[in-house]
PDB file of all heavy atoms in Angstrom:
ATOM      1  N   ASP A 289       0.889  -1.191   0.019  1.00 95.00           N
ATOM      2  CA  ASP A 289      -0.010   0.017   0.012  1.00 95.00           C
ATOM      3  C   ASP A 289       0.903   1.249   0.014  1.00 95.00           C
ATOM      4  O   ASP A 289       1.391   1.661   1.052  1.00 95.00           O
ATOM      5  CB  ASP A 289      -0.921  -0.077   1.219  1.00 95.00           C
ATOM      6  CG  ASP A 289      -1.927   1.102   1.232  1.00 95.00           C
ATOM      7  OD1 ASP A 289      -1.760   2.155   0.491  1.00 95.00           O
ATOM      8  OD2 ASP A 289      -2.852   1.014   2.025  1.00 95.00           O
ATOM      9  N   LEU A 290       1.124   1.815  -1.203  1.00 96.00           N
ATOM     10  CA  LEU A 290       2.037   2.956  -1.270  1.00 96.00           C
ATOM     11  C   LEU A 290       1.559   4.219  -0.526  1.00 96.00           C
ATOM     12  O   LEU A 290       2.328   4.915   0.016  1.00 96.00           O
ATOM     13  CB  LEU A 290       2.283   3.260  -2.755  1.00 96.00           C
ATOM     14  CG  LEU A 290       3.097   2.287  -3.549  1.00 96.00           C
ATOM     15  CD1 LEU A 290       3.161   2.659  -5.076  1.00 96.00           C
ATOM     16  CD2 LEU A 290       4.445   2.042  -2.991  1.00 96.00           C
ATOM     17  N   TYR A 291       0.184   4.414  -0.517  1.00 97.00           N
ATOM     18  CA  TYR A 291      -0.389   5.496   0.186  1.00 97.00           C
ATOM     19  C   TYR A 291      -0.033   5.377   1.682  1.00 97.00           C
ATOM     20  O   TYR A 291       0.411   6.347   2.278  1.00 97.00           O
ATOM     21  CB  TYR A 291      -1.879   5.608  -0.040  1.00 97.00           C
ATOM     22  CG  TYR A 291      -2.429   6.679   0.892  1.00 97.00           C
ATOM     23  CD1 TYR A 291      -2.272   8.029   0.599  1.00 97.00           C
ATOM     24  CD2 TYR A 291      -3.169   6.314   2.017  1.00 97.00           C
ATOM     25  CE1 TYR A 291      -2.832   9.014   1.444  1.00 97.00           C
ATOM     26  CE2 TYR A 291      -3.691   7.312   2.863  1.00 97.00           C
ATOM     27  CZ  TYR A 291      -3.503   8.609   2.626  1.00 97.00           C
ATOM     28  OH  TYR A 291      -4.084   9.542   3.391  1.00 97.00           O
ATOM     29  N   MET A 292      -0.275   4.212   2.228  1.00 97.00           N
ATOM     30  CA  MET A 292       0.009   4.021   3.654  1.00 97.00           C
ATOM     31  C   MET A 292       1.524   4.138   3.959  1.00 97.00           C
ATOM     32  O   MET A 292       1.909   4.683   4.951  1.00 97.00           O
ATOM     33  CB  MET A 292      -0.522   2.695   4.076  1.00 97.00           C
ATOM     34  CG  MET A 292      -0.418   2.470   5.594  1.00 97.00           C
ATOM     35  SD  MET A 292      -1.207   3.736   6.593  1.00 97.00           S
ATOM     36  CE  MET A 292      -2.929   3.301   6.389  1.00 97.00           C
ATOM     37  N   LEU A 293       2.298   3.594   3.077  1.00 97.00           N
ATOM     38  CA  LEU A 293       3.784   3.709   3.225  1.00 97.00           C
ATOM     39  C   LEU A 293       4.217   5.144   3.288  1.00 97.00           C
ATOM     40  O   LEU A 293       4.916   5.581   4.145  1.00 97.00           O
ATOM     41  CB  LEU A 293       4.514   2.954   2.105  1.00 97.00           C
ATOM     42  CG  LEU A 293       6.056   3.032   2.117  1.00 97.00           C
ATOM     43  CD1 LEU A 293       6.646   2.428   3.376  1.00 97.00           C
ATOM     44  CD2 LEU A 293       6.625   2.340   0.896  1.00 97.00           C
ATOM     45  N   TYR A 294       3.736   5.966   2.296  1.00 97.00           N
ATOM     46  CA  TYR A 294       4.031   7.371   2.260  1.00 97.00           C
ATOM     47  C   TYR A 294       3.533   8.042   3.553  1.00 97.00           C
ATOM     48  O   TYR A 294       4.340   8.857   4.162  1.00 97.00           O
ATOM     49  CB  TYR A 294       3.390   8.032   1.061  1.00 97.00           C
ATOM     50  CG  TYR A 294       3.605   9.505   0.981  1.00 97.00           C
ATOM     51  CD1 TYR A 294       4.781  10.041   0.531  1.00 97.00           C
ATOM     52  CD2 TYR A 294       2.608  10.388   1.362  1.00 97.00           C
ATOM     53  CE1 TYR A 294       5.020  11.388   0.422  1.00 97.00           C
ATOM     54  CE2 TYR A 294       2.760  11.718   1.302  1.00 97.00           C
ATOM     55  CZ  TYR A 294       3.986  12.285   0.839  1.00 97.00           C
ATOM     56  OH  TYR A 294       4.177  13.600   0.764  1.00 97.00           O
ATOM     57  N   LYS A 295       2.322   7.742   3.967  1.00 97.00           N
ATOM     58  CA  LYS A 295       1.832   8.415   5.158  1.00 97.00           C
ATOM     59  C   LYS A 295       2.612   8.109   6.372  1.00 97.00           C
ATOM     60  O   LYS A 295       2.985   8.945   7.181  1.00 97.00           O
ATOM     61  CB  LYS A 295       0.348   7.969   5.352  1.00 97.00           C
ATOM     62  CG  LYS A 295      -0.403   8.656   6.448  1.00 97.00           C
ATOM     63  CD  LYS A 295      -1.855   8.182   6.520  1.00 97.00           C
ATOM     64  CE  LYS A 295      -2.492   8.716   7.713  1.00 97.00           C
ATOM     65  NZ  LYS A 295      -3.847   8.292   7.866  1.00 97.00           N
ATOM     66  N   LEU A 296       2.983   6.798   6.567  1.00 98.00           N
ATOM     67  CA  LEU A 296       3.747   6.399   7.731  1.00 98.00           C
ATOM     68  C   LEU A 296       5.120   6.983   7.738  1.00 98.00           C
ATOM     69  O   LEU A 296       5.645   7.471   8.784  1.00 98.00           O
ATOM     70  CB  LEU A 296       3.899   4.831   7.802  1.00 98.00           C
ATOM     71  CG  LEU A 296       2.609   4.078   8.104  1.00 98.00           C
ATOM     72  CD1 LEU A 296       2.765   2.573   7.799  1.00 98.00           C
ATOM     73  CD2 LEU A 296       2.183   4.271   9.581  1.00 98.00           C
ATOM     74  N   VAL A 297       5.757   7.049   6.586  1.00 97.00           N
ATOM     75  CA  VAL A 297       7.171   7.537   6.494  1.00 97.00           C
ATOM     76  C   VAL A 297       7.159   9.033   6.811  1.00 97.00           C
ATOM     77  O   VAL A 297       7.961   9.597   7.509  1.00 97.00           O
ATOM     78  CB  VAL A 297       7.803   7.204   5.138  1.00 97.00           C
ATOM     79  CG1 VAL A 297       9.087   8.002   4.916  1.00 97.00           C
ATOM     80  CG2 VAL A 297       8.048   5.655   5.100  1.00 97.00           C
ATOM     81  N   THR A 298       6.277   9.754   6.158  1.00 97.00           N
ATOM     82  CA  THR A 298       6.229  11.271   6.337  1.00 97.00           C
ATOM     83  C   THR A 298       5.892  11.589   7.741  1.00 97.00           C
ATOM     84  O   THR A 298       6.291  12.616   8.242  1.00 97.00           O
ATOM     85  CB  THR A 298       5.381  11.932   5.338  1.00 97.00           C
ATOM     86  OG1 THR A 298       4.071  11.408   5.310  1.00 97.00           O
ATOM     87  CG2 THR A 298       5.981  11.824   3.917  1.00 97.00           C
ATOM     88  N   GLU A 299       4.944  10.811   8.345  1.00 97.00           N
ATOM     89  CA  GLU A 299       4.617  11.087   9.763  1.00 97.00           C
ATOM     90  C   GLU A 299       5.841  10.976  10.715  1.00 97.00           C
ATOM     91  O   GLU A 299       5.865  11.597  11.758  1.00 97.00           O
ATOM     92  CB  GLU A 299       3.513  10.185  10.234  1.00 97.00           C
ATOM     93  CG  GLU A 299       2.108  10.574   9.678  1.00 97.00           C
ATOM     94  CD  GLU A 299       1.129   9.529  10.035  1.00 97.00           C
ATOM     95  OE1 GLU A 299       1.382   8.427  10.697  1.00 97.00           O
ATOM     96  OE2 GLU A 299      -0.076   9.779   9.706  1.00 97.00           O
ATOM     97  N   LYS A 300       6.735  10.108  10.403  1.00 96.00           N
ATOM     98  CA  LYS A 300       7.935   9.884  11.235  1.00 96.00           C
ATOM     99  C   LYS A 300       9.075  10.839  10.785  1.00 96.00           C
ATOM    100  O   LYS A 300      10.187  10.700  11.296  1.00 96.00           O
ATOM    101  CB  LYS A 300       8.407   8.460  11.016  1.00 96.00           C
ATOM    102  CG  LYS A 300       7.408   7.427  11.423  1.00 96.00           C
ATOM    103  CD  LYS A 300       7.361   7.239  12.877  1.00 96.00           C
ATOM    104  CE  LYS A 300       6.394   6.070  13.223  1.00 96.00           C
ATOM    105  NZ  LYS A 300       5.992   6.135  14.611  1.00 96.00           N
ATOM    106  N   GLY A 301       8.826  11.766   9.851  1.00 97.00           N
ATOM    107  CA  GLY A 301       9.875  12.735   9.492  1.00 97.00           C
ATOM    108  C   GLY A 301      10.505  12.595   8.157  1.00 97.00           C
ATOM    109  O   GLY A 301      11.381  13.291   7.725  1.00 97.00           O
ATOM    110  N   GLY A 302      10.032  11.542   7.347  1.00 97.00           N
ATOM    111  CA  GLY A 302      10.590  11.388   6.039  1.00 97.00           C
ATOM    112  C   GLY A 302      11.586  10.229   5.898  1.00 97.00           C
ATOM    113  O   GLY A 302      11.972   9.651   6.953  1.00 97.00           O
ATOM    114  N   LEU A 303      11.937   9.943   4.720  1.00 97.00           N
ATOM    115  CA  LEU A 303      12.777   8.749   4.430  1.00 97.00           C
ATOM    116  C   LEU A 303      14.143   8.871   5.146  1.00 97.00           C
ATOM    117  O   LEU A 303      14.609   7.878   5.712  1.00 97.00           O
ATOM    118  CB  LEU A 303      12.930   8.554   2.933  1.00 97.00           C
ATOM    119  CG  LEU A 303      13.743   7.404   2.501  1.00 97.00           C
ATOM    120  CD1 LEU A 303      13.172   6.074   3.025  1.00 97.00           C
ATOM    121  CD2 LEU A 303      13.948   7.377   1.010  1.00 97.00           C
ATOM    122  N   VAL A 304      14.740  10.089   5.122  1.00 96.00           N
ATOM    123  CA  VAL A 304      16.065  10.207   5.707  1.00 96.00           C
ATOM    124  C   VAL A 304      16.035   9.924   7.201  1.00 96.00           C
ATOM    125  O   VAL A 304      16.922   9.305   7.753  1.00 96.00           O
ATOM    126  CB  VAL A 304      16.623  11.567   5.326  1.00 96.00           C
ATOM    127  CG1 VAL A 304      17.944  11.866   6.172  1.00 96.00           C
ATOM    128  CG2 VAL A 304      16.949  11.694   3.867  1.00 96.00           C
ATOM    129  N   GLU A 305      14.986  10.418   7.836  1.00 96.00           N
ATOM    130  CA  GLU A 305      14.806  10.228   9.311  1.00 96.00           C
ATOM    131  C   GLU A 305      14.616   8.654   9.595  1.00 96.00           C
ATOM    132  O   GLU A 305      15.166   8.222  10.577  1.00 96.00           O
ATOM    133  CB  GLU A 305      13.576  10.990   9.854  1.00 96.00           C
ATOM    134  CG  GLU A 305      13.919  12.477  10.003  1.00 96.00           C
ATOM    135  CD  GLU A 305      15.070  12.711  10.999  1.00 96.00           C
ATOM    136  OE1 GLU A 305      14.914  12.275  12.169  1.00 96.00           O
ATOM    137  OE2 GLU A 305      16.023  13.374  10.641  1.00 96.00           O
ATOM    138  N   ILE A 306      13.808   7.995   8.781  1.00 97.00           N
ATOM    139  CA  ILE A 306      13.573   6.585   8.988  1.00 97.00           C
ATOM    140  C   ILE A 306      14.879   5.858   8.884  1.00 97.00           C
ATOM    141  O   ILE A 306      15.185   4.963   9.672  1.00 97.00           O
ATOM    142  CB  ILE A 306      12.576   6.061   7.994  1.00 97.00           C
ATOM    143  CG1 ILE A 306      11.244   6.767   8.069  1.00 97.00           C
ATOM    144  CG2 ILE A 306      12.390   4.581   8.074  1.00 97.00           C
ATOM    145  CD1 ILE A 306      10.524   6.607   9.314  1.00 97.00           C
ATOM    146  N   ILE A 307      15.678   6.182   7.892  1.00 95.00           N
ATOM    147  CA  ILE A 307      16.970   5.489   7.677  1.00 95.00           C
ATOM    148  C   ILE A 307      17.932   5.784   8.865  1.00 95.00           C
ATOM    149  O   ILE A 307      18.560   4.877   9.413  1.00 95.00           O
ATOM    150  CB  ILE A 307      17.639   5.914   6.374  1.00 95.00           C
ATOM    151  CG1 ILE A 307      16.780   5.336   5.200  1.00 95.00           C
ATOM    152  CG2 ILE A 307      19.050   5.393   6.223  1.00 95.00           C
ATOM    153  CD1 ILE A 307      17.156   5.887   3.826  1.00 95.00           C
ATOM    154  N   ASN A 308      18.038   7.080   9.190  1.00 95.00           N
ATOM    155  CA  ASN A 308      18.979   7.517  10.206  1.00 95.00           C
ATOM    156  C   ASN A 308      18.643   6.888  11.578  1.00 95.00           C
ATOM    157  O   ASN A 308      19.442   6.495  12.339  1.00 95.00           O
ATOM    158  CB  ASN A 308      19.111   9.038  10.325  1.00 95.00           C
ATOM    159  CG  ASN A 308      19.846   9.656   9.188  1.00 95.00           C
ATOM    160  OD1 ASN A 308      20.680   8.950   8.574  1.00 95.00           O
ATOM    161  ND2 ASN A 308      19.614  10.869   8.909  1.00 95.00           N
ATOM    162  N   LYS A 309      17.301   6.872  11.900  1.00 95.00           N
ATOM    163  CA  LYS A 309      16.848   6.377  13.231  1.00 95.00           C
ATOM    164  C   LYS A 309      16.646   4.850  13.230  1.00 95.00           C
ATOM    165  O   LYS A 309      16.397   4.304  14.235  1.00 95.00           O
ATOM    166  CB  LYS A 309      15.534   7.085  13.649  1.00 95.00           C
ATOM    167  CG  LYS A 309      15.742   8.552  13.918  1.00 95.00           C
ATOM    168  CD  LYS A 309      14.361   9.183  14.367  1.00 95.00           C
ATOM    169  CE  LYS A 309      14.472  10.668  14.638  1.00 95.00           C
ATOM    170  NZ  LYS A 309      13.174  11.281  14.903  1.00 95.00           N
ATOM    171  N   LYS A 310      16.686   4.269  12.019  1.00 94.00           N
ATOM    172  CA  LYS A 310      16.561   2.823  11.888  1.00 94.00           C
ATOM    173  C   LYS A 310      15.241   2.350  12.563  1.00 94.00           C
ATOM    174  O   LYS A 310      15.230   1.455  13.343  1.00 94.00           O
ATOM    175  CB  LYS A 310      17.765   2.093  12.461  1.00 94.00           C
ATOM    176  CG  LYS A 310      19.046   2.447  11.813  1.00 94.00           C
ATOM    177  CD  LYS A 310      20.238   1.679  12.336  1.00 94.00           C
ATOM    178  CE  LYS A 310      21.469   2.173  11.695  1.00 94.00           C
ATOM    179  NZ  LYS A 310      22.654   1.461  12.213  1.00 94.00           N
ATOM    180  N   ILE A 311      14.141   2.952  12.103  1.00 95.00           N
ATOM    181  CA  ILE A 311      12.857   2.588  12.664  1.00 95.00           C
ATOM    182  C   ILE A 311      11.883   1.962  11.583  1.00 95.00           C
ATOM    183  O   ILE A 311      10.743   2.162  11.613  1.00 95.00           O
ATOM    184  CB  ILE A 311      12.160   3.842  13.280  1.00 95.00           C
ATOM    185  CG1 ILE A 311      12.104   5.024  12.336  1.00 95.00           C
ATOM    186  CG2 ILE A 311      12.829   4.219  14.658  1.00 95.00           C
ATOM    187  CD1 ILE A 311      11.351   6.236  12.880  1.00 95.00           C
ATOM    188  N   TRP A 312      12.491   1.169  10.787  1.00 95.00           N
ATOM    189  CA  TRP A 312      11.748   0.448   9.768  1.00 95.00           C
ATOM    190  C   TRP A 312      10.755  -0.516  10.341  1.00 95.00           C
ATOM    191  O   TRP A 312       9.666  -0.814   9.811  1.00 95.00           O
ATOM    192  CB  TRP A 312      12.624  -0.226   8.730  1.00 95.00           C
ATOM    193  CG  TRP A 312      13.315   0.695   7.773  1.00 95.00           C
ATOM    194  CD1 TRP A 312      14.592   1.072   7.720  1.00 95.00           C
ATOM    195  CD2 TRP A 312      12.634   1.357   6.732  1.00 95.00           C
ATOM    196  NE1 TRP A 312      14.806   1.926   6.715  1.00 95.00           N
ATOM    197  CE2 TRP A 312      13.600   2.144   6.073  1.00 95.00           C
ATOM    198  CE3 TRP A 312      11.369   1.436   6.236  1.00 95.00           C
ATOM    199  CZ2 TRP A 312      13.343   2.961   4.960  1.00 95.00           C
ATOM    200  CZ3 TRP A 312      11.074   2.256   5.119  1.00 95.00           C
ATOM    201  CH2 TRP A 312      12.033   2.987   4.534  1.00 95.00           C
ATOM    202  N   ARG A 313      11.057  -1.044  11.511  1.00 94.00           N
ATOM    203  CA  ARG A 313      10.113  -2.039  12.154  1.00 94.00           C
ATOM    204  C   ARG A 313       8.818  -1.349  12.472  1.00 94.00           C
ATOM    205  O   ARG A 313       7.755  -1.936  12.368  1.00 94.00           O
ATOM    206  CB  ARG A 313      10.781  -2.556  13.443  1.00 94.00           C
ATOM    207  CG  ARG A 313       9.968  -3.706  14.072  1.00 94.00           C
ATOM    208  CD  ARG A 313      10.745  -4.458  15.131  1.00 94.00           C
ATOM    209  NE  ARG A 313      11.888  -5.098  14.519  1.00 94.00           N
ATOM    210  CZ  ARG A 313      11.943  -6.375  14.177  1.00 94.00           C
ATOM    211  NH1 ARG A 313      10.870  -7.148  14.305  1.00 94.00           N
ATOM    212  NH2 ARG A 313      12.975  -6.957  13.663  1.00 94.00           N
ATOM    213  N   GLU A 314       8.792  -0.108  12.820  1.00 95.00           N
ATOM    214  CA  GLU A 314       7.557   0.647  13.104  1.00 95.00           C
ATOM    215  C   GLU A 314       6.809   0.790  11.765  1.00 95.00           C
ATOM    216  O   GLU A 314       5.505   0.699  11.749  1.00 95.00           O
ATOM    217  CB  GLU A 314       7.877   1.985  13.630  1.00 95.00           C
ATOM    218  CG  GLU A 314       8.473   2.039  15.007  1.00 95.00           C
ATOM    219  CD  GLU A 314       8.767   3.395  15.582  1.00 95.00           C
ATOM    220  OE1 GLU A 314       8.074   4.379  15.154  1.00 95.00           O
ATOM    221  OE2 GLU A 314       9.713   3.491  16.397  1.00 95.00           O
ATOM    222  N   ILE A 315       7.439   0.992  10.692  1.00 96.00           N
ATOM    223  CA  ILE A 315       6.791   1.077   9.377  1.00 96.00           C
ATOM    224  C   ILE A 315       6.215  -0.289   8.988  1.00 96.00           C
ATOM    225  O   ILE A 315       5.089  -0.341   8.546  1.00 96.00           O
ATOM    226  CB  ILE A 315       7.745   1.593   8.307  1.00 96.00           C
ATOM    227  CG1 ILE A 315       8.415   2.938   8.683  1.00 96.00           C
ATOM    228  CG2 ILE A 315       7.086   1.700   6.942  1.00 96.00           C
ATOM    229  CD1 ILE A 315       7.486   4.113   8.932  1.00 96.00           C
ATOM    230  N   THR A 316       7.002  -1.316   9.176  1.00 95.00           N
ATOM    231  CA  THR A 316       6.458  -2.652   8.877  1.00 95.00           C
ATOM    232  C   THR A 316       5.227  -3.004   9.686  1.00 95.00           C
ATOM    233  O   THR A 316       4.331  -3.618   9.151  1.00 95.00           O
ATOM    234  CB  THR A 316       7.526  -3.786   8.974  1.00 95.00           C
ATOM    235  OG1 THR A 316       8.048  -3.778  10.266  1.00 95.00           O
ATOM    236  CG2 THR A 316       8.616  -3.529   7.924  1.00 95.00           C
ATOM    237  N   LYS A 317       5.216  -2.639  10.957  1.00 94.00           N
ATOM    238  CA  LYS A 317       4.113  -2.865  11.849  1.00 94.00           C
ATOM    239  C   LYS A 317       2.886  -2.055  11.338  1.00 94.00           C
ATOM    240  O   LYS A 317       1.717  -2.555  11.314  1.00 94.00           O
ATOM    241  CB  LYS A 317       4.431  -2.491  13.360  1.00 94.00           C
ATOM    242  CG  LYS A 317       5.284  -3.491  14.031  1.00 94.00           C
ATOM    243  CD  LYS A 317       5.557  -3.059  15.413  1.00 94.00           C
ATOM    244  CE  LYS A 317       6.586  -3.978  16.077  1.00 94.00           C
ATOM    245  NZ  LYS A 317       6.860  -3.558  17.452  1.00 94.00           N
ATOM    246  N   GLY A 318       3.163  -0.813  10.954  1.00 96.00           N
ATOM    247  CA  GLY A 318       2.067   0.022  10.460  1.00 96.00           C
ATOM    248  C   GLY A 318       1.462  -0.534   9.173  1.00 96.00           C
ATOM    249  O   GLY A 318       0.311  -0.250   8.952  1.00 96.00           O
ATOM    250  N   LEU A 319       2.248  -1.220   8.424  1.00 95.00           N
ATOM    251  CA  LEU A 319       1.756  -1.786   7.136  1.00 95.00           C
ATOM    252  C   LEU A 319       1.244  -3.252   7.375  1.00 95.00           C
ATOM    253  O   LEU A 319       0.815  -3.869   6.449  1.00 95.00           O
ATOM    254  CB  LEU A 319       2.863  -1.821   6.141  1.00 95.00           C
ATOM    255  CG  LEU A 319       3.368  -0.480   5.589  1.00 95.00           C
ATOM    256  CD1 LEU A 319       4.641  -0.649   4.768  1.00 95.00           C
ATOM    257  CD2 LEU A 319       2.265   0.187   4.771  1.00 95.00           C
TER     258      LEU A 319
END
C-alpha cells in the first residue's frame, strides 16, 4: 500500500529520518 507507506514515513519525519533512526520495524508494523 504505497499511500500508507508514504503516510507512515512522512509522519515519522521522512525517508532520511527513517533511515537514520533505523525505525523500519515501526513502518512494517504500520503496514
Side-chain angles (χ1 to χ4, degrees):
D289 184 344
L290 291 176
Y291 171 76
M292 185 57 74
L293 176 60
Y294 176 79
K295 186 175 174 186
L296 290 167
V297 169
T298 55
E299 284 174 355
K300 302 279 185 198
L303 182 60
V304 170
E305 285 296 306
I306 301 294
I307 293 169
N308 287 336
K309 293 180 180 176
K310 300 180 182 181
I311 51 176
W312 284 108
R313 189 166 295 265
E314 293 179 29
I315 304 300
T316 57
K317 285 180 185 175
L319 293 169

